[in-house]
Amino acid sequence: MAAHDPVEQKYVYDFAEGNKDLKDLLGGKGANLAEMTNLGLPVPPGFTITTEACKAYLTTGREPDGLAAQIEAHLESLEREMGRRLGDPDDPLLVSVRSGAKFSMPGMMETVLNVGLNDRSVVGLSNQAGGNDRFAWDSYRRLIQMFGKTVCEVPGEEFEHALDEIKRAKGTHNDLDLDADDLRGLVDAYKQIFAKHTGREFPQEPREQLDLAIRAVFDSWNAERAILYRRQERIPADLGTAVNVVTMVFGNLGPDSGTGVAFTRDPGSGAQGIYGDYLANAQGEDVVAGIRNTVPLQELEQLDKTSYDELLGIMARLEEHYKDLCDIEFTIERGKLWMLQTRVGKRTAAAAFVIAGQLVDEGLIDLDEALHRVNGAQLAQLMFPRFQLDHEFEPVAKGIGASPGAASGKVVFTSARAVELAAEGESVILVRRETNPDDLNGMIAAKGILTSRGGKTSHAAVVARGMGKTCVSGADELEVNVPAKKFTVGDHVVNEGDVVSIDGTTGKVYLGEVPVMPSEVVQYFEGELDPENTDDALVRSVHRIMTHADAARRLRVRTNADTGADAARARRFGAEGIGLCRTEHMFLGDRRELVERLILASGEQEREDALAALLPLQRADFIEIFREMDGLPVTVRLIDPPLHEFLPPLEQLAVNVAVAQERGEDVAKEEALLAAVRRMHEENPMLGLRGVRLGLVIPGLFAMQVRAIAEAAVAVVRDGGKACPEIMVPLVGAVQELETVRAEAERIIAEVVGDSGVEVLIGTMIEVPRAALTAGQIAEAAEFFSFGTNDLTQMGWGFSRDDVEGAFFWRYLELGIFGISPFESIDTDGVGRLVRIAAEEGRAARPGLKLGVCGEHGGDPDSVHFFHEVGLDYVSCSPFRVPVARLEAGRASITTTGSDSR
Ligand code: ADP
Ligand code: MG
Ligand code: MG
């Protein structure tokens, strides 16, 4: 025992010993049960076995020393407190054994209720319940079912079938129509199923039941579906789960008992009110599994006003205490309310913004905390389009809007089919009566999820919200027939492969494909919706939080834009300049011909002519962009890709030549092109003649671009505008490369700019590892650095993006070599270290050196935090990511004591 042996680790905590900040040790459920206990709320007594015990068990394969004795001691004290012994034949104490990890993983792990029941104590339980045999045998059959499935891997369907069988024999669909004798018979049937699958009798010894259940909860941490869920949600694999042993209270004692779940605000929209589901005469898992149709929580007021009022009081108290939306699970045992769980509730993206705004209004949190509580991924989700509905589209059914968004796709009825069709590039809607954890793969693959049963808190709803996936649940007009691969609704029959559309906000279901419209958040960013003057709570809240983020952030946010239209949109979205204007698109389309002329030029004159023809076209492009970005910096990257990318593919040319020869046409030009393509072929174009190397070997190419930029700037300034060009040289690895380009560029700029007042900066990309490592030297010739993190990642890891993502990334992710693709989120340890070194050494050599990043990572939330921390001046990302980067840059700048937002 801990008291006698000071070095022994404490593995078991009474609820009175814990608190909400001990999630690492007690898991979320245990920590919050402790918190509620200490708030004086009615929580059934119990204790929590720590995640440390679980981790020790999982690494060694056996319970750590001392655990058994600590459990024994806590069980004894629980028995003393309750005045009953576990499984006592006359008056049994029963407990639930519940998993609970640091982060909630809904339905992923195991819970066993009614532990302590056996052939003898079932009689005692009945007597204690005033001779309520039905209740006692219902509880017992649930124990065998859950214990069998969870602890001994008996297939769950076998129990379901036995239950269906009895109901059919009775001619009913409702569990409640089964009487005590039916349930006694069901217990016998369940025991046989148990014995058939395990080769042993159902264990009658209460303590053995308890120990096996605890072990099963430990093991459930590594169940396949739990592993899959963690990967999807980016939850670390080594946290382990705690185990909560909780005195049972009974919602299945009769019509004055029941169980429910509730949210303190609407987790879909954030609206204030009472949101929940209640089920009379039932045990908890019935509600969560969506097995029976629940009633809205409001109806509890009629059924049991005292408990209802008490519940509302507790919900208000919890919100004030946690200063956030809470979700709760409760049970009423003969008019007595018990709290079984609470946590800061998951919510949709829209609700996150709306609630954060409301809590500021209510004085519960400040704006920094509000900013902390939302994130860029949620904002990105709100920028998706929604259904455009007019009279042509009548819904065929209405369920519960369980997770917002608009999704259309082909109907499928199984997880496997969803995965199959999605792999073929189809959009699919997974339709089920209800989902369970085994449907996870299909849910990931589907565009949307539609179920005919279950409320806002069903498995489908909770998991879909977590994934940000559109979901309509509980559309009970649907008759789903999985084996026949169809569902019927009214007079319609919908078969596998037919298209339906579901609206996860309104819960409406449509046949066929419904067109979509832009989100109001995008309209707000576009300036089409006045945030001061709208009754749209979401837009008001987004505006308020964005304004705060802009005031808080140190990082500037620019955009990647190659055209005037992109530049204009990005500016409306808040871009403070262009961080990457690629010039290669200016060589495409009908300009290809000029590039061909350049490549085929046989002498200096021909080459100069080709360049001279390109110059005015480029200049016009730049003028447009500088105008749109009036007064803001525009970083123009000189041409980067290998020139052969602008030529037709080899096979096509070869065919053209052959066909033309056949017809006796003049093939001189085609042949010349073909020869050029052959000559310029590269084994590794990514590492070949591109970027600054082109500028150094093709005379006049960079000079033409520099001249076009400078002339465009002068033209804009002459028109009364302000152009702030920054010329960026790609792929530099050595300072000498940059010096050579720079010398020529400066000469041209001086000549063009004259006394116009235009200032042109010259800088470089840092995207080759050598550049990062010699940044101190390179900074001598650069007025700014822009980190090209795509190439830096490719060259840092030594793999080419196009080749690796399909070939082996899945395996790397599976093995945990990285938790997320390094192209999606910057690899801070490796590639990030190169950025850090270059930033430090560059600034040391040239104080005031401007530092930015362009490339996909500039709009990735985690990466933005990293770039903030490294001290860059700006990030640059695609126009639609600009608001996300603004928000995350703001979040990176604030420090709060707030809780983990996951
Ligand atoms: P999950 O993490 O999947 O929600 P829980 O451990 O919360 O699993 O258990 C599921 C349900 O079982 C709870 O919502 C609750 O209704 C019921 N339950 C758990 N423990 C008890 C208990 N001690 N008494 C009565 N019902 C319980
Ligand atoms: Mg629960
Ligand atoms: Mg690059």
Side-chain angles (χ1 to χ4, degrees), residues 637 640 690 767 791:
R637 179 176 72 184
D640 183 45
R690 52 173 284 222
E767 54 185 339
D791 266 312

Coordinates of all heavy atoms in Angstrom, one line a residue, residues 637 640 690 767 791, ligand 3:
R637 N 8.9 36.3 -58.5 CA 9.9 35.3 -58.7 C 10.3 35.2 -60.1 O 9.4 34.9 -61.0 CB 9.4 33.9 -58.1 CG 10.5 32.9 -58.3 CD 10.1 31.6 -57.7 NE 9.1 30.9 -58.5 CZ 8.5 29.8 -58.1 NH1 8.8 29.2 -57.0 NH2 7.6 29.2 -58.9
D640 N 11.3 29.9 -62.9 CA 11.8 28.8 -62.1 C 11.8 27.4 -62.8 O 12.8 26.7 -62.7 CB 10.9 28.7 -60.8 CG 11.5 27.7 -59.8 OD1 12.7 27.6 -59.6 OD2 10.6 27.0 -59.3
R690 N 17.2 24.6 -63.8 CA 16.0 25.4 -63.5 C 16.5 26.6 -62.5 O 17.6 26.6 -62.1 CB 14.9 24.6 -62.8 CG 15.4 23.7 -61.7 CD 14.3 23.0 -61.0 NE 13.6 23.9 -60.1 CZ 13.1 23.6 -58.9 NH1 13.4 22.4 -58.3 NH2 12.4 24.5 -58.2
E767 N 15.6 27.7 -50.5 CA 14.9 26.4 -50.8 C 15.8 25.3 -51.0 O 15.4 24.1 -51.2 CB 13.9 26.6 -51.9 CG 14.5 27.1 -53.2 CD 13.4 27.4 -54.3 OE1 12.3 26.8 -54.2 OE2 13.7 28.2 -55.2
D791 N 10.2 23.1 -51.8 CA 11.5 22.6 -52.3 C 12.4 22.2 -51.1 O 13.1 21.2 -51.1 CB 12.2 23.6 -53.2 CG 11.8 23.3 -54.7 OD1 11.9 22.1 -55.1 OD2 11.4 24.2 -55.4
Ligands
MG3 MG 10.8 26.1 -55.4

